[in-house]
C-alpha cells in the first residue's frame, strides 16, 4: 500500500507512454475556462450553414432541379457540412494555439521542463483537438437530426470519418504553425484565404464535383476534405458504397499519418535545443 501524498502536493506523472495525458488535461482545463468564446465558431456557424444553405437555398434547388441526383438538397449538403465543419474547427484549434504555446505563452516549454517529452506534448495537444472535434461533430449531428437531415444510422460512422477528416488537417497545421517565425496574422490569414476557404467551396460540399472545370477537379481529389465529404455522404445514404468509403478512409488515414510525422519533426526541431 503506497503512502498517501500530502494535501496540495502535485500528483506524480504517469509512467512513460502515458505522459501525454497531463498535456490533454491541461488543454481540457483551459477549454473549460474559455469555452464560451468558442460557441459561435464551433457550434453556431455550422448551424447557420445548415439553415441558410440546407433550407433556404435547398428549397430553391429542390423546386428548380428536384434536388441533386434525386436527393433533397438538405440531405445532400448536410453530410458535406459535417465534414467541412470538422476541417474549420481543426484548423482553428491547430494554428494560433500551437504558435502561442511556442512563442507567446510558452506552455510547451514549461511542459518540456518536466519528464514530459516532445512526443507527449504533441500527442496530448492533438488528443485534445480530437476530443474537441468529436464534441462539435456530435453536437452538429444532433441538431441536424432535429431537422430530418439523416436517413440512415450510418451517420454514427460518419462522425468518426468527420473527426478523421479534421485530424488530417490538424496534423499538418501543427507542423506549419511550429515553423512560423514571422507575424502570425499574416501567415495564418494565408492559410485561411488560400487553402481553407477555397477547399470549403470546391471540394464537393455544396455541389457535385463534376460541375467544376476539369482542371480544378484533381485539386479536390488530393485534399482531405473531398475524401471526407464523399465518405460522409455515402455513409448517410440509404445504401452506402462500402468499398468507396473504405478507400476514402484509407486515404484520410495515410494523410493523417504523413501529417503526424511532419508535425513530430517540426516540433522536435523547434522545441529541442
Amino acid at each position: 500500500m503506497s503512502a498517501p501524498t500530502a494535501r496540495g502536493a502535485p500528483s506524480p506523472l504517469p509512467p512513460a507512454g502515458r505522459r501525454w495525458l497531463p498535456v490533454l488535461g491541461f488543454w481540457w482545463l483551459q477549454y473549460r475556462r474559455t469555452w464560451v468564446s468558442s460557441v459561435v465558431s464551433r457550434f453556431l456557424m455550422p448551424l447557420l450553414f445548415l439553415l441558410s444553405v440546407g433550407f433556404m437555398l435547398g428549397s430553391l434547388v429542390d423546386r428548380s432541379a428536384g434536388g441533386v441526383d434525386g436527393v433533397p438538397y438538405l440531405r445532400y449538403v448536410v453530410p458535406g457540412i459535417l465534414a467541412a465543419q470538422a476541417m474549420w474547427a481543426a484548423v482553428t484549434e491547430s494554428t494560433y494555439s500551437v504558435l502561442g504555446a511556442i512563442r507567446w505563452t510558452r506552455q510547451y516549454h514549461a511542459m518540456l521542463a518536466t519528464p514530459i517529452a516532445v512526443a507527449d506534448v504533441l500527442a496530448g495537444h492533438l488528443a485534445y483537438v480530437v476530443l474537441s472535434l468529436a464534441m462539435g461533430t456530435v453536437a452538429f449531428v444532433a441538431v441536424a437530426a432535429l431537422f430530418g437531415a439523416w436517413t440512415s444510422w450510418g451517420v454514427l460512422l460518419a462522425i468518426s470519418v468527420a473527426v478523421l477528416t479534421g485530424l488530417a488537417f490538424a496534423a499538418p497545421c501543427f507542423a506549419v504553425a511550429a515553423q512560423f517565425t514571422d507575424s502570425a496574422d499574416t501567415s495564418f490569414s494565408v492559410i485561411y484565404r488560400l487553402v481553407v476557404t477555397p477547399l470549403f467551396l470546391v471540394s464537393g460540399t455544396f455541389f457535385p464535383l463534376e460541375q467544376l472545370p476539369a482542371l480544378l477537379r484533381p485539386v479536390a481529389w488530393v485534399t482531405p476534405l473531398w475524401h471526407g465529404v464523399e465518405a460522409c455522404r455515402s455513409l448517410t445514404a440509404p445504401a452506402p458504397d462500402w468499398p468507396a468509403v473504405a478507400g476514402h478512409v484509407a486515404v484520410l488515414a495515410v494523410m493523417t499519418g504523413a501529417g503526424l510525422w511532419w508535425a513530430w519533426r517540426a516540433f522536435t526541431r523547434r522545441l529541442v535545443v
Side-chain angles (χ1 to χ4, degrees):
M1 187 178 204
S2 58
T5 57
R7 179 176 297 181
S11 58
L13 281 172
R18 289 190 296 168
R19 290 179 179 169
W20 57 273
L21 290 172
V23 181
L24 169 61
F26 164 79
W27 291 106
W28 175 247
L29 177 62
Q30 181 168 278
Y31 170 74
R32 288 172 56 192
R33 293 176 175 175
T34 60
W35 66 271
V36 175
S37 62
S38 67
V39 169
V40 173
S41 62
R42 192 170 301 171
F43 301 106
L44 294 185
M45 288 300 293
L47 177 60
L48 292 176
F49 273 110
L50 171 66
L51 296 176
S52 61
V53 178
F55 278 94
M56 299 178 66
L57 178 61
S59 61
L60 298 176
V61 174
D62 292 341
R63 284 200 301 266
S64 61
V68 179
D69 297 330
V71 178
Y73 189 70
L74 173 66
R75 294 176 180 172
Y76 175 85
V77 75
V78 169
I81 298 177
L82 176 67
Q85 62 84 28
M87 174 192 70
W88 279 104
V91 175
T92 300
E93 293 286 357
S94 307
T95 48
Y96 287 96
S97 63
V98 174
L99 185 60
I102 294 174
R103 294 188 58 192
W104 304 322
T105 56
R106 301 177 72 86
Q107 288 111 328
Y108 289 162
H109 296 82
M111 294 172 185
L112 292 174
T114 72
I116 292 176
V118 171
D120 301 317
V121 170
L122 176 61
H125 199 166
L126 278 170
Y128 162 74
V129 173
V130 170
L131 178 61
S132 176
L133 291 174
M135 291 191 303
T137 302
V138 169
F140 178 80
V141 167
V143 172
L146 299 177
F147 295 93
W150 314 117
T151 59
S152 169
W153 287 103
V155 67
L156 300 179
L157 296 176
I159 292 173
S160 298
V161 173
V163 172
L164 180 60
T165 302
L167 187 58
F169 280 96
C173 280
F174 267 65
V176 172
Q179 298 177 79
F180 279 162
T181 56
D182 55 353
S183 172
D185 292 336
T186 302
S187 303
F188 292 140
S189 65
V190 172
I191 295 176
Y192 281 100
R193 294 176 183 176
L194 301 184
V195 179
V196 179
T197 301
L199 288 183
F200 183 53
L201 299 175
V202 302
S203 293
T205 305
F206 301 107
F207 53 85
L209 205 63
E210 291 74 18
Q211 296 183 9
L212 284 176
L215 291 177
L216 291 180
R217 294 173 198 168
V219 176
W221 295 336
V222 298
T223 62
L225 183 57
W226 179 75
H227 293 281
V229 168
E230 289 297 307
C232 289
R233 187 164 287 145
S234 182
L235 285 170
T236 55
D241 185 349
W242 295 108
V245 170
H248 291 306
V249 170
V251 172
L252 288 172
V254 170
M255 291 179 173
T256 300
L260 291 173
W261 176 83
W262 185 19
W264 176 76
R265 290 290 302 271
F267 268 51
T268 301
R269 291 176 179 175
R270 187 68 184 271
L271 296 174
V272 177
V273 179

